[in-house]
Amino acid sequence: MLILGAGGHAREIIDLMEQNLLKSLYCFDNFTKNPPEEVSGVPIISTDEKAEQLLQEDARFILGVGSCLI
């Protein structure tokens, strides 16, 4: 499942998903410059191509963006 976002709200979603034994989680962040490789043990992807590939394999996603500051 793809989690859109990789910050605090995404961490909360990861905790909930792992409590429900959902595996194969990925976070998507194409906004942050030089994002870490993972958040709470979940890999962060930052390219549209990789996100599209993952969504073709599993179309489920969840919005993990909390506070939006631009």
Side-chain angles (χ1 to χ4, degrees), residues 6 8-9 11-14 17 21-22 24-25 27 29 32 34 38-39 42-44 55 60 68:
H9 187 57
R11 281 189 210 88
E12 292 178 27
I13 291 171
I14 290 167
M17 295 297 152
L21 305 176
L22 183 63
S24 298
L25 297 174
C27 288
D29 181 354
T32 304
N34 302 316
E38 60 181 43
V39 58
V42 172
I44 298 175
L55 288 170
R60 297 175 298 166
C68 297

Side-chain angles (χ1 to χ4, degrees), residues 4-49:
L4 305 178
H9 187 57
R11 281 189 210 88
E12 292 178 27
I13 291 171
I14 290 167
D15 289 342
L16 289 172
M17 295 297 152
E18 289 178 340
Q19 287 175 16
N20 289 296
L21 305 176
L22 183 63
K23 302 297 179 197
S24 298
L25 297 174
Y26 298 88
C27 288
F28 178 69
D29 181 354
N30 67 348
F31 182 74
T32 304
K33 293 181 186 202
N34 302 316
E37 291 185 20
E38 60 181 43
V39 58
S40 296
V42 172
I44 298 175
I45 60 169
S46 58
T47 66
D48 294 342
E49 295 79 18

